[in-house]
Amino acid sequence: LAPVPIDDATRARLWRVLEGEPFDARATVDFVTHELGGASVMQEWMGTKENTSLGTHTEEVIDRYLKERPFHDVTAPPGVRLEPMMRWMLTLHDIGKPAAVEGGDRAMQHAFTAPVLVELSKKLGFSEREIGLMRAIVDNDAIGETLHWSVNRDLDDAAKAEM
């Protein structure tokens, strides 16, 4: 992402998006694209078997989270704004993947994602605790593991329903 100054007005716009109900996944992708200079990154192919842009993939992941969220009882630690934090983290969870693919090692995506996630999250007003949680989730690829489990569970449920 291009280094852009983040002022109070920009920060306020992001928080309106993150706290909006119903939440709009496209709005966070648009924020990164237009407000943070991420147009080229969000339009890139991710270097995976899916022939999709990072922006489209990000929206799909957020939509999946929103669909799954009601089924999980999660208590946030004190000082953690869980929903805005999760929404922001999911927006940036693969932001480093295009750079890793371009560098020849997709497995390094988290090494490229973490610095962007941390720097932007600090500038946009997330607490150290929230940033630490986001980084731990991204570094351990908990999103990918959970998403793959959910998709497999849905396929299993669909197969059982057909019996």
Side-chain angles (χ1 to χ4, degrees):
L1 295 176
V4 295
I6 297 175
D7 57 17
D8 290 339
T10 303
R11 195 174 297 109
R13 282 192 298 277
L14 173 68
W15 283 95
R16 277 194 299 278
V17 168
L18 292 176
E19 293 174 333
E21 295 296 340
F23 182 67
D24 179 10
R26 159 75 59 196
T28 58
V29 170
D30 286 348
F31 185 87
V32 171
T33 300
H34 302 295
E35 301 267 355
L36 301 179
S40 63
V41 174
M42 283 297 184
Q43 293 170 357
E44 278 194 48
W45 171 64
M46 294 186 5
T48 62
K49 63 185 174 195
E50 302 102 20
N51 189 13
T52 188
S53 71
L54 178 58
T56 299
H57 167 74
T58 298
E59 287 179 47
E60 291 169 352
V61 168
I62 293 171
D63 286 342
R64 184 67 191 196
Y65 166 76
L66 294 172
K67 184 189 283 187
E68 290 286 326
R69 179 67 181 96
F71 301 104
H72 302 280
D73 183 23
V74 178
T75 303
V80 171
R81 297 162 291 185
L82 184 64
E83 288 309 312
M85 181 198 79
M86 290 296 296
R87 293 166 177 180
W88 180 242
M89 180 200 57
L90 291 171
T91 301
L92 296 182
H93 83 280
D94 273 343
I95 201 78
K97 190 178 281 186
V101 169
E102 187 177 300
D105 188 356
R106 195 187 98 166
M108 293 297 295
Q109 73 185 54
H110 300 119
F112 287 94
T113 295
V116 174
L117 176 69
V118 169
E119 179 184 346
L120 288 176
S121 298
K122 284 180 183 177
K123 289 180 179 180
L124 291 164
F126 286 91
S127 71
E128 289 297 321
R129 178 173 269 181
E130 290 165 333
I131 293 168
L133 281 170
M134 288 188 281
R135 182 158 186 180
I137 293 168
V138 167
D139 282 348
N140 290 298
D141 202 21
I143 297 161
E145 292 299 319
T146 301
L147 189 61
H148 292 299
W149 176 83
S150 296
V151 169
N152 289 337
R153 186 193 66 209
D154 285 354
L155 293 173
D156 290 345
D157 290 348
K160 288 176 189 172
E162 290 178 4
M163 292 181 175

